[in-house]
Amino acid sequence: VEFCTFHDPDQEGIEIQVGSDENVIRNNLFRDSVTANASTYHVACDGDNCVIENNICNSNGTAAIATGGAATTENIVSRNTIWARGANTIGILARVAADTIATFDNMIMAAAAGNLIDFTTTSTSPSGDSGSMGNTTATNPLISALVTPTVGGV
């Protein structure tokens, strides 16, 4: 899915289900402007070997990008620009212990440090982040720094 605009999706903007593997989601714009019906996820990927890159996400739902509603493997999330605007909105979320995800070169702004990149459990392995930058909106001044992924928001 490339070069699409998703404006105020009520649930997922794009949902990739289990068994739908090797998808590419790139160069899309996702926007939540109505808090009452914010999207759950802009991209929800339960497939394997998917690439989610170069998207712009302005989210106040659960998470802008989420992988692993089931045990997914080798998904890549790279070079996305994310503004996780809601108080509990997560930029990038690995949802289950068996999910493996590589994140790199993402730019994320969120309300709290635990909302930048979050792995649901410590068992999310082998997963990691390289070179993603982020900051929280409560920080003064807003100067981006390398993201340290959290586990369960901590």
Side-chain angles (χ1 to χ4, degrees):
V1 178
E2 295 185 271
F3 301 107
C4 294
T5 298
F6 297 85
H7 192 2
D8 289 327
D10 287 341
Q11 294 296 314
E12 284 79 27
I14 297 174
E15 180 180 15
I16 299 168
Q17 296 188 352
V18 173
S20 181
D21 302 330
E22 300 176 2
N23 291 282
V24 176
I25 297 126
R26 75 164 58 104
N27 299 318
N28 298 292
L29 172 63
F30 297 89
R31 185 165 179 225
D32 281 336
S33 62
V34 180
T35 303
N37 65 336
S39 62
T40 306
Y41 307 110
H42 284 164
V43 178
C45 179
D46 295 338
D48 295 333
N49 301 302
C50 295
V51 176
I52 303 166
E53 65 182 1
N54 295 327
N55 298 288
I56 298 173
C57 300
N58 180 350
S59 177
N60 57 16
T62 304
I65 298 171
T67 63
T72 61
T73 59
E74 300 178 8
N75 288 311
I76 297 172
V77 180
S78 67
R79 296 183 297 277
N80 297 286
T81 301
I82 299 169
W83 184 13
R85 295 183 303 138
N88 296 311
T89 303
I90 297 168
I92 300 171
L93 174 64
R95 293 181 281 178
V96 298
D99 184 24
T100 58
I101 177 176
T103 60
F104 60 93
D105 295 339
N106 295 285
M107 294 294 294
I108 307 164
M109 185 169 61
N115 294 5
L116 296 169
I117 298 175
D118 191 50
F119 296 100
T120 303
T121 70
T122 56
S123 299
T124 309
S125 176
S127 295
D129 177 73
S130 176
S132 289
M133 302 290 284
N135 207 336
T136 60
T137 54
T139 303
N140 187 14
L142 289 172
I143 300 172
S144 294
L146 288 173
V147 171
T148 300
T150 56
V151 177
V154 182

